[in-house]
Amino acid sequence: MEQPSQDPRGALVRPYAVTRGRTEPRREIPIEAVLVASQSAVQEARFAGHDKYRIALMCEPRALSLAEIAAYRALPLGVARVLVADMVTDGLLSLHSAAPKEGFTERMDLLERVLSGLRKL
């Protein structure tokens, strides 16, 4: 008998269930945005759901980017973006964007500099 963790449909259904069917975030969160949770936000997140609580716990001792949250929680980036946007809107996370406010071109320049720096490591 096949175990549920080996069920290929599990990976397809779970992200949809986590976001309650939503695919678009309430607000746009850049992938490099830095997110922080306060101790009081962690306490409030207990009632927001398991995934949001785990994200708040991760962001309380240190700041993490949206990309790091998705990677550490093993969530697709789109799912993490929806959850984090909800948490920012609800005041559970503080958003500190590292991206310039000018626009897409400046954000791409920043991402290219980050990628170049990572390649040098």
Side-chain angles (χ1 to χ4, degrees):
M1 181 187 250
E2 194 174 49
Q3 295 181 0
S5 62
Q6 297 173 342
D7 185 358
R9 293 173 295 162
L12 297 175
V13 175
R14 184 165 166 31
Y16 186 81
V18 169
T19 62
R20 297 183 180 161
R22 292 180 28 239
T23 57
E24 294 296 321
R26 290 185 190 175
R27 62 181 290 174
E28 193 59 37
I29 306 280
I31 192 172
E32 72 277 1
V34 177
L35 300 142
V36 181
S38 66
Q39 181 61 37
S40 61
V42 171
Q43 296 302 322
E44 290 177 33
R46 284 181 186 258
F47 308 104
H50 175 73
D51 290 302
K52 290 181 181 179
Y53 176 64
R54 301 300 280 166
I55 290 170
L57 281 177
M58 289 172 40
C59 293
E60 194 261 326
R62 62 189 170 126
L64 294 173
S65 71
L66 174 61
E68 290 172 309
I69 292 169
Y72 290 143
R73 292 292 303 140
L75 291 169
L77 185 58
V79 172
R81 192 179 303 254
V82 170
L83 291 174
V84 166
D86 288 350
M87 293 177 74
V88 169
T89 301
D90 295 340
L92 299 175
L93 291 177
S94 297
L95 173 67
H96 303 281
S97 180
K101 298 192 185 322
E102 288 83 21
F104 179 78
T105 304
E106 289 79 10
R107 286 186 58 210
M108 288 308 296
D109 290 342
L110 173 66
L111 289 174
E112 287 173 4
R113 289 193 310 269
V114 169
L115 182 59
S116 174
L118 289 173
R119 287 182 177 149
K120 290 178 182 178
L121 292 177

